[in-house]
Amino acid sequence: MPNWGGGAKCGACEKTVYHAEEIQCNGRSFHKTCFLCMACRKALDSTTVAAHESEIYCKTCYGRKYGPKGVGFGQGAGCLSTDTGDHLGLNLHQGSPKPARPSTPTNPSKFAKMTVDVDKCPRCGKSVYAAEKIMGGGKPWHKTCFRCAICGKSLESTNVTDKDGELYCKGKNCHGLNGVIESV
């Protein structure tokens, strides 16, 4: 049937789309008001549309329907997506379900390699990570724990001394009282 004077037919409503209201996607034309996700009905634009054959979706619904499934493929790393998409009319259970992965590592040596040996702070006993580590007296300290044992003054490499695993400032009242003679 000839298309007298009109534009292309809308991919959603099949009515004529005139140039002023036309949005094109995958070689098809849509009205601006018809350019909606087929599942959740959200309005789409060129940055949010994901097309699959003749269907258009928002990226979220497209991922739910056609994206990977299982551990690590959810809303964040290490996440098991349990969203079935039923509330959006998506049939995500295509085929038989996969058996669950064992909760314990199958190869303990690989797991052991992933753990990192972290130093402990002599003052508070908590782990000291690289971003907060200050070395003093041959030991790792937190920046907040790197203080004189007597007066609590914050220490630097120029004013610190060490005796019996404890840190002191070189102030007369702290360094002198403890007879600290060895510098770090």
Side-chain angles (χ1 to χ4, degrees):
M1 182 173 190
N3 189 5
W4 303 106
K9 296 291 181 189
C10 176
C13 71
E14 298 297 322
K15 294 182 181 176
T16 303
V17 180
Y18 296 98
H19 185 70
E21 60 182 356
E22 181 180 32
I23 296 177
Q24 290 190 346
C25 178
N26 275 9
R28 297 174 56 211
S29 296
F30 294 87
H31 293 105
K32 288 180 184 176
T33 56
C34 294
F35 199 57
L36 305 171
C37 173
M38 295 184 80
C40 69
R41 309 296 296 164
K42 285 184 184 174
L44 301 173
D45 62 30
S46 63
T47 62
T48 60
V49 70
H52 183 80
E53 296 173 1
S54 64
E55 301 171 337
I56 57 172
Y57 296 97
C58 66
K59 289 185 178 182
T60 303
C61 292
Y62 179 86
R64 285 182 181 142
K65 187 165 184 175
Y66 298 108
K69 311 287 185 290
V71 175
F73 298 107
Q75 302 303 317
C79 177
L80 173 60
S81 178
T82 56
D83 184 2
T84 61
D86 291 338
H87 66 287
L88 301 173
L90 301 175
N91 181 15
L92 301 181
H93 298 291
Q94 300 166 353
S96 62
K98 302 245 189 288
R101 291 178 55 181
S103 61
T104 58
T106 55
N107 186 348
S109 63
K110 284 184 182 178
F111 181 74
K113 290 176 188 172
M114 290 176 16
T115 60
V116 178
D117 189 25
V118 180
D119 296 319
K120 301 288 183 190
C121 176
R123 174 113 345 119
C124 68
K126 295 181 182 177
S127 297
V128 181
Y129 298 97
E132 58 188 352
K133 185 189 292 189
I134 295 179
M135 294 300 290
K139 297 177 183 172
W141 300 79
H142 292 109
K143 290 179 184 178
T144 55
C145 295
F146 197 65
R147 299 181 169 276
C148 176
I150 295 178
C151 69
K153 181 179 175 185
S154 184
L155 300 171
E156 298 174 1
S157 62
T158 58
N159 69 347
V160 65
T161 58
D162 164 66
K163 181 170 182 181
D164 299 329
E166 194 55 75
L167 300 178
Y168 302 96
C169 68
K170 290 185 179 179
K172 157 172 117 172
N173 292 333
C174 302
H175 174 265
L177 287 176
N178 289 296
V180 178
I181 55 172
E182 183 181 322
S183 289
V184 177

